[in-house]
Amino acid sequence: MIGKGLKRKLSDDDLLETAVMQKGTGLYLDQRQSVLNISLDKFHRGQMMAEPSLRRSVLIANTLRQIQDEIRQENSVGVLAENLEPSNNREEDFSLSSAISSILKELDVVLDGSSSPLDTLVFKSDRSGNYADGYKLCDSVFGNFEVLSSSYLNDVPLDDLFLDIDTSVYERESGSLGSVLNLNELEHIMEILVGS
Amino acid sequence: GAGNAGVGGGNDFQWCFSQVKGAIDEDVAEADIISTVEFNYSGDLLATGDKGGRVVIFQREQEGNNRSHSRGEYNVYSTFQSHEPEFDYLKSLEIEEKINKIRWLPQQNAAHFLLSTNDKTIKLWKISERDKRAEGYNLKDENGRLRDPFRITSLRVPVLKPMDLMVEASPRRIFANAHTYHINSISVNSDHETYLSADDLRINLWHLEITDRSFNIVDIKPANMEELTEVITAAECHPNQCNVFVYSSSKGTIRLCDMRASALCDRHSKFFEEPEDPSSRSFFSEIISSISDVKFSHSGRYMMTRDYLSVKVWDLNMESRPVETYQVHEYLRSKLCSLYENDCIFDKFECCWNGSDNAIMTGSYNNFFRMFDRNTRRDITLEASRESSKPRAILKPRKVCTGGKRKKDEISVDSLDFNKKILHTAWHPKENIIAVAATNNLYIFQDKIN
């Protein structure tokens, strides 16, 4: 596909471009959020492509996972509560995290009807402090792979997988996260964990 | 001087334009986009594959023709449709006819053989010349129609008469149904009997004569696809040790495997990875570390890997880090977010060695390509463009301005055309002739005739 050439004027976006940023700064959080949004969008689009590239999907999913791990770590350690960020950043992080988890949970439920929504949100850590086990956030990303790349093997119609995804969660209007199930419960749990 | 001297062939060396193949139109048909370029072992043949599934083979004219100024030009030798688009009804997926890779077999007789592959199927093609035909058959008349047996009253011996040269390509083997995922590499083994094919998760070993089965030698598919974090990006057989091959991953690692060790080479013999520089860590660190190409040196002592921003040369005896690292376009490091957004960060650039392994080449954006001399440590950026396409015109070095004041003849990073990507390049195995694919055009450059 031949697209248009890339020519950009210097803009606020360029300020977000700096590859290496001080963690915890507002600029860093802005870039992280930007990358998160872009990644979610790309992942979603990638799966809908006529010929999904497994390599591209894996790389995007790993980027998503890296960011989500960071957010989760910050939530659990209370880093955000300690720094001087304005409170609306925290809420946006929470709502993004909720958004990711609910989207992926929806996917997971569609793919594997046996998972129970609330169970998957329990933050259990294993010995090394990782939250991977109890939280099916990233697992369900790759469950998605299994179905889609083995729409090489199964005859799951691609369309059906996306019926339940509420893409309104991508919008950043504060407070309107669409009709995602159990959203209030998600937020409640997030608040408990951060101790706010 | 201001010439492009010194890279690849000594101090007096300069690259000149030789030829360009392909249409000049601004409007490029997607099917015409070149997707692979490969010289054969002698360098006399140059094959290209495109997104439309076609293979075009160019042959070098014999030197000593009347036109002494044309030092062995490449002209079309054969064109054929290698792969057609397919639809997999079971999985509701289109299978692209795009030729991902072409690899030549060493020549054993008058005919030439090559392997070409799309995402799913590998084909062995035989390209042969016919310059004679038989005349005077007994059972057929001159038009090929069968003669009435009753009319034949005498026998004659057919004679061979010369005819215009015809080059025919015929598919001799079709290696199908062995790859669930997309094939990214094929590589002919030094035993000349087997070859490997690699997709995102598996590598198979084939015998050239046998199409109904292949051996799976690497399988990195996790039992639970939810655990997938890494894919195979490229694989190659060692040039002279027929039991050794390497494969690279999306996490920037290379594994060297020995097929004598076990039937399934899931355990590597060597593991090459450069430790990450913590000061340059970003959200895109993993993506830019993903290796897009791996190539052994002709000697077999080294291998070269290409990731998004650099080319690295590894000594096979040292797994801990590369022996040489060359920056291809470091000025893109501060643009990674945009390049992620527009998907350019996923572009898979290839790289290649020259015949004597003292120079390496790889492509970049804006139709730029880069060459690095391993001995002198000099590097050069050249451009494949119609503007510098005058016969035997010396190529002018190009420079990207990274900040501050742009000098004359420099181009700023923001003016680069990211749609003009040089992903595929090839270097003649013996001489200083290079082939550079720029979208639908194939440029051939040669050293200056002194």
Side-chain angles (χ1 to χ4, degrees):
Chain A
M1 210 171 352
I2 309 282
K4 297 195 175 56
L6 178 72
K7 272 197 175 200
R8 293 173 58 248
K9 295 192 169 59
L10 188 65
S11 66
D12 287 337
D13 287 341
D14 285 341
L15 295 174
L16 297 179
E17 286 282 23
T18 313
V20 184
M21 266 188 233
Q22 191 67 12
K23 263 194 173 183
T25 63
L27 204 56
Y28 178 83
L29 292 175
D30 281 343
Q31 198 204 29
R32 184 171 74 187
Q33 190 149 302
S34 172
V35 175
L36 189 59
N37 289 340
I38 297 169
S39 301
L40 282 170
D41 189 44
K42 286 177 106 48
F43 184 72
H44 184 65
R45 280 183 206 276
Q47 304 297 62
M48 279 162 55
M49 269 159 56
E51 296 163 42
S53 158
L54 192 58
R55 170 181 161 263
R56 185 178 173 278
S57 300
V58 168
L59 289 172
I60 296 169
N62 288 352
T63 307
L64 268 173
R65 188 216 294 264
Q66 177 194 334
I67 293 174
Q68 286 159 14
D69 283 350
E70 256 185 46
I71 293 176
R72 257 193 269 136
Q73 267 191 343
E74 287 165 6
N75 291 348
S76 64
V77 172
V79 167
L80 289 178
E82 287 169 17
N83 69 25
L84 302 172
E85 292 309 310
S87 59
N88 59 355
N89 270 357
R90 288 161 59 197
E91 282 164 13
E92 278 172 0
D93 278 342
F94 296 156
S95 47
L96 269 169
S97 202
S98 318
I100 302 161
S101 66
S102 41
I103 290 162
L104 295 170
K105 188 169 52 64
E106 298 281 0
L107 279 177
D108 195 40
V109 167
V110 169
L111 305 176
D112 170 20
S114 60
S115 73
S116 155
L118 277 179
D119 285 350
T120 63
L121 292 174
V122 175
F123 286 84
K124 292 187 298 206
S125 71
D126 61 15
R127 281 186 304 264
S128 52
N130 296 325
Y131 288 83
D133 290 321
Y135 197 61
K136 288 193 81 175
L137 181 70
C138 289
D139 290 353
S140 38
V141 171
F142 304 106
N144 197 28
F145 274 124
E146 178 69 279
V147 174
L148 289 177
S149 21
S150 51
S151 65
Y152 295 154
L153 303 171
N154 301 336
D155 47 333
V156 177
L158 285 175
D159 286 344
D160 287 352
L161 293 170
F162 298 99
L163 285 177
D164 295 331
I165 295 175
D166 181 5
T167 54
S168 67
V169 294
Y170 286 112
E171 270 112 39
R172 292 182 50 180
E173 308 149 75
S174 53
S176 70
L177 286 165
S179 57
V180 179
L181 295 171
N182 298 318
L183 179 64
N184 289 334
E185 281 149 340
L186 289 174
E187 287 197 320
H188 184 57
I189 288 164
M190 290 290 193
E191 284 167 9
I192 289 171
L193 287 164
V194 178
S196 65
Chain B
N4 56 42
V7 178
N11 284 331
D12 295 331
F13 188 79
Q14 291 195 327
W15 288 103
C16 306
F17 171 81
S18 176
Q19 296 172 273
V20 60
K21 308 285 189 190
I24 312 177
D25 311 328
E26 281 301 311
D27 225 358
V28 179
E30 182 149 350
D32 293 336
I33 296 174
I34 298 170
S35 48
T36 185
V37 185
E38 188 81 356
F39 281 100
N40 74 339
Y41 284 78
S42 65
D44 285 340
L45 296 178
L46 175 59
T48 61
D50 65 23
K51 276 192 159 186
R54 286 164 306 206
V55 171
V56 180
I57 301 176
F58 302 92
Q59 184 187 46
R60 197 174 182 200
E61 295 299 328
Q62 295 302 320
E63 300 197 30
N65 275 352
N66 329 342
R67 303 175 300 160
S68 57
H69 65 269
S70 81
R71 268 181 69 236
E73 275 193 351
Y74 284 86
N75 296 317
V76 177
Y77 179 66
S78 173
T79 304
F80 56 93
Q81 187 76 33
S82 171
H83 287 70
E84 298 275 5
E86 286 170 51
F87 193 79
D88 184 331
Y89 293 96
L90 207 59
K91 302 159 195 170
S92 245
L93 286 174
E94 261 187 37
I95 300 171
E96 263 198 319
E97 67 275 30
K98 171 169 78 93
I99 308 294
N100 292 337
K101 285 280 160 30
I102 289 173
R103 290 288 182 262
W104 290 92
L105 265 58
Q107 193 174 6
Q108 287 169 332
N109 52 39
H112 299 279
F113 289 87
L114 61 78
L115 288 169
S116 71
T117 186
N118 68 350
D119 284 339
K120 297 286 183 180
T121 303
I122 307 133
K123 296 187 184 182
L124 176 68
W125 288 88
K126 176 181 180 183
I127 298 106
S128 47
E129 292 182 6
R130 197 203 292 234
D131 61 358
K132 302 187 224 345
R133 64 187 166 93
E135 273 181 21
Y137 284 102
N138 291 291
L139 298 176
K140 288 189 289 190
D141 68 16
E142 291 311 311
N143 298 322
R145 285 195 300 255
L146 289 174
R147 287 169 72 193
D148 195 350
F150 300 113
R151 301 266 163 84
I152 300 170
T153 53
S154 62
L155 288 178
R156 55 190 175 167
V157 179
V159 290
L160 289 176
K161 293 262 174 77
M163 59 178 258
D164 287 341
L165 179 66
M166 234 173 60
V167 181
E168 300 171 322
S170 59
R172 304 304 288 180
R173 304 271 186 277
I174 298 185
F175 304 91
N177 302 321
H179 285 280
T180 306
Y181 303 97
H182 290 177
I183 297 173
N184 51 56
S185 312
I186 47 175
S187 180
V188 182
N189 207 344
S190 54
D191 63 10
H192 303 162
E193 287 183 349
T194 58
Y195 75 95
L196 63 74
S197 60
D199 66 31
D200 292 314
L201 298 179
R202 298 191 178 102
I203 301 179
N204 294 331
L205 184 72
W206 302 82
H207 192 286
L208 284 163
E209 300 290 329
I210 300 169
T211 59
D212 61 355
R213 59 179 183 275
S214 67
F215 288 104
N216 176 243
I217 53 177
V218 173
D219 188 339
I220 66 167
K221 180 172 190 273
N224 187 354
M225 277 292 269
E226 298 175 354
E227 292 158 11
L228 181 67
T229 58
E230 189 173 13
V231 299
I232 297 169
T233 52
E236 195 177 51
C237 291
H238 191 277
N240 42 56
Q241 294 171 38
C242 59
N243 52 298
V244 172
F245 66 95
V246 292
Y247 68 94
S248 59
S249 83
S250 54
K251 285 198 170 171
T253 65
I254 309 101
R255 288 169 177 81
L256 184 142
C257 301
D258 185 336
M259 288 190 270
R260 293 172 306 189
S262 73
L264 186 61
C265 299
D266 276 355
R267 282 216 210 101
H268 49 263
S269 301
K270 297 195 184 187
F271 181 77
F272 299 81
E273 184 179 29
E274 180 167 30
E276 196 194 344
D277 174 11
S279 69
S280 65
R281 175 133 191 92
S282 76
F283 296 116
F284 311 107
S285 292
E286 183 183 309
I287 299 181
I288 63 170
S289 76
S290 174
I291 291 171
S292 51
D293 196 14
V294 64
K295 292 264 171 51
F296 280 106
S297 64
H298 292 90
S299 64
R301 253 203 76 187
Y302 299 97
M303 67 178 175
M304 162 168 57
T305 57
R306 174 69 155 100
D307 51 70
Y308 191 61
L309 297 180
S310 68
V311 184
K312 296 178 181 173
V313 176
W314 303 77
D315 184 322
L316 293 188
N317 296 317
M318 188 164 75
E319 299 164 59
S320 53
R321 57 183 164 76
V323 289
E324 294 152 35
T325 300
Y326 302 93
Q327 301 302 333
V328 181
H329 37 217
E330 182 68 10
Y331 47 78
L332 295 182
R333 192 181 287 276
S334 59
K335 306 284 177 192
L336 292 178
C337 199
S338 305
L339 295 165
Y340 180 56
E341 212 170 348
N342 66 15
D343 261 13
C344 282
I345 210 173
F346 298 109
D347 286 335
K348 293 187 76 172
F349 291 95
E350 293 170 9
C351 53
C352 61
W353 299 84
N354 72 343
S356 48
D357 296 337
N358 63 12
I360 58 184
M361 170 168 61
T362 190
S364 178
Y365 294 105
N366 209 70
N367 278 354
F368 288 172
F369 57 100
R370 302 263 286 137
M371 284 195 265
F372 304 94
D373 188 313
R374 295 178 64 216
N375 297 331
T376 65
R377 289 310 172 122
R378 277 198 265 203
D379 65 270
I380 193 168
T381 305
L382 298 172
E383 183 180 0
S385 74
R386 290 279 173 176
E387 284 72 42
S388 48
S389 301
K390 298 181 184 37
R392 297 182 309 286
I394 294 176
L395 295 183
K396 200 174 69 166
R398 308 287 286 146
K399 190 143 166 55
V400 176
C401 152
T402 50
K405 206 142 163 44
R406 187 175 72 85
K407 298 198 190 85
K408 179 175 175 288
D409 286 348
E410 285 186 356
I411 182 167
S412 75
V413 184
D414 292 318
S415 304
L416 294 173
D417 189 340
F418 288 89
N419 290 309
K420 293 190 177 166
K421 17 192 139 196
I422 306 266
L423 302 173
H424 314 286
T425 59
W427 207 314
H428 189 288
K430 300 187 177 67
E431 296 183 37
N432 281 315
I433 303 172
I434 53 177
V436 174
T439 316
N440 64 323
N441 291 141
L442 183 72
Y443 286 82
I444 301 174
F445 302 108
Q446 290 189 0
D447 60 348
K448 183 170 140 237
I449 306 152
N450 291 314

